[in-house]
């Protein structure tokens, strides 16, 4: 079920984070006193003004301690979900984090014609045993993690229904679409790359044609572990 984070002020964001934390925690693993405190923090309303005042006076220190203790992996999930919802609200289109396998010509056409109008679609047409295909698949896996607004896909030439067009001598092929329009058609793309190539080489090649959006810099795991929660 999709959760919506609508409170945009500082207090609202903290409230949403605590509510997300409470809902995503394994309740069996939380001590009862901590679970009750999380519940109070995620729903601070009280029918009694005096009780609310007392909780308000006590909560500042408790809240600070709780924030310091929050599980980092849960915080990363919260950040990712907030960013995804922000992307969708601002009409940036959906976000992705993997390479999608297409198993038929119909699936190939669907991803071209039915994807969000703002989504860039990159399709790798490959076949087993063709030089460069495995390497390009690995490169696209890396790029998919760095360009979340791009939908990277791959499909075997034999599954496209257009074997005569995608014969072995034009593989690997890389096709780029947006809003149903073909923006890039690179047959035998390895001819434009070094014999040994990496994700950065493919990225630079696509950028030469202005096909990739601005990269979203993701923090390394070590950097995330050292990041302070503001």
């Amino acid at each position: 079920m999709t959760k919506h984070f609508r409170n945009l002020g500082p207090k609202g964001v903290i409230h949403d984070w605590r509510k997300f934390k409470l809902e995503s925690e394994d309740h069996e693993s939380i001590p009862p006193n901590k679970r009750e405190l999380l519940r109070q923090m995620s729903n601070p309303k009280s029918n009694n003004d005096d009780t609310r005042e007392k909780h308000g006076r006590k909560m500042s220190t408790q809240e600070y301690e709780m924030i310091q203790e929050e599980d980092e992996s849960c915080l990363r999930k919260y950040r990712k979900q907030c960013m995804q919802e922000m992307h969708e609200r601002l009409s940036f289109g959906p976000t992705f984090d993997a390479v999608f396998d297409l198993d038929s010509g119909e699936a190939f056409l669907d991803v071209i014609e039915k994807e969000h109008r703002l989504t860039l679609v990159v399709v790798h047409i490959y076949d087993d045993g063709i030089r460069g295909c495995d390497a390009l698949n690995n490169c696209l896996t890396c790029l998919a993690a760095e360009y979340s607004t791009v939908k990277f896909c791959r499909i075997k030439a034999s599954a496209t229904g257009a074997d005569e067009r995608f014969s072995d001598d034009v593989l690997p092929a890389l096709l780029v679409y947006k809003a149903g329009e073909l923006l890039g058609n690179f047959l035998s793309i390895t001819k434009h790359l070094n014999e040994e190539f990496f994700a950065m080489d493919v990225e630079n090649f696509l950028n030469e044609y202005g096909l990739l959006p601005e990269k979203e810099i993701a923090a390394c795991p070590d950097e995330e572990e050292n990041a302070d929660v503001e």
Side-chain angles (χ1 to χ4, degrees), residues 59-73:
M59 203 58 76
S60 59
T61 301
Q62 290 175 317
E63 287 181 350
Y64 177 79
E65 292 174 351
M66 289 296 299
I67 289 174
Q68 299 306 309
E69 295 173 0
E70 299 300 358
D71 181 72
E72 189 65 25
S73 64

Side-chain angles (χ1 to χ4, degrees), residues 75-117:
L75 178 57
R76 284 198 293 270
K77 286 192 292 184
Y78 173 77
R79 285 173 175 166
K80 182 176 180 180
Q81 188 161 337
C82 286
M83 287 300 297
Q84 184 169 353
E85 291 188 1
M86 184 180 297
H87 269 285
E88 293 174 358
R89 284 200 301 271
L90 296 177
S91 299
F92 290 164
T95 57
F96 315 93
D97 59 3
V99 177
F100 293 81
D101 285 300
L102 308 177
D103 57 7
S104 67
E106 183 178 356
F108 186 15
L109 290 176
D110 282 349
V111 79
I112 295 170
E113 298 175 352
K114 297 182 180 180
E115 194 50 69
H116 192 284
R117 61 185 178 82

Side-chain angles (χ1 to χ4, degrees), residues 146-162:
E146 297 182 358
Y147 292 90
S148 63
T149 59
V150 178
K151 186 168 187 175
F152 290 92
C153 307
R154 63 189 176 196
I155 182 171
K156 278 192 172 184
S158 56
T160 63

Side-chain angles (χ1 to χ4, degrees), residues 127-213:
D127 214 340
D128 296 330
I130 302 297
R131 177 180 164 277
C133 287
D134 285 344
L136 187 54
N137 276 333
N138 291 334
C139 291
L140 296 187
T141 298
C142 293
L143 294 179
E146 297 182 358
Y147 292 90
S148 63
T149 59
V150 178
K151 186 168 187 175
F152 290 92
C153 307
R154 63 189 176 196
I155 182 171
K156 278 192 172 184
S158 56
T160 63
D163 303 41
E164 68 285 351
R165 180 182 177 190
F166 299 114
S167 55
D168 290 356
D169 59 319
V170 302
L171 301 181
L174 207 61
L175 310 183
V176 184
Y177 299 87
K178 189 172 185 180
E181 181 183 355
L182 180 64
L183 303 181
N185 181 18
F186 306 108
L187 304 180
S188 301
I189 190 174
T190 48
K191 292 181 179 178
H192 304 283
L193 303 169
N194 295 327
E195 184 172 349
E196 187 177 18
F197 61 91
F198 303 94
M200 184 178 295
D201 300 309
V202 178
E203 178 183 32
N204 290 339
F205 176 80
L206 293 174
N207 277 329
E208 286 179 9
Y209 292 86
L211 292 174
L212 289 178

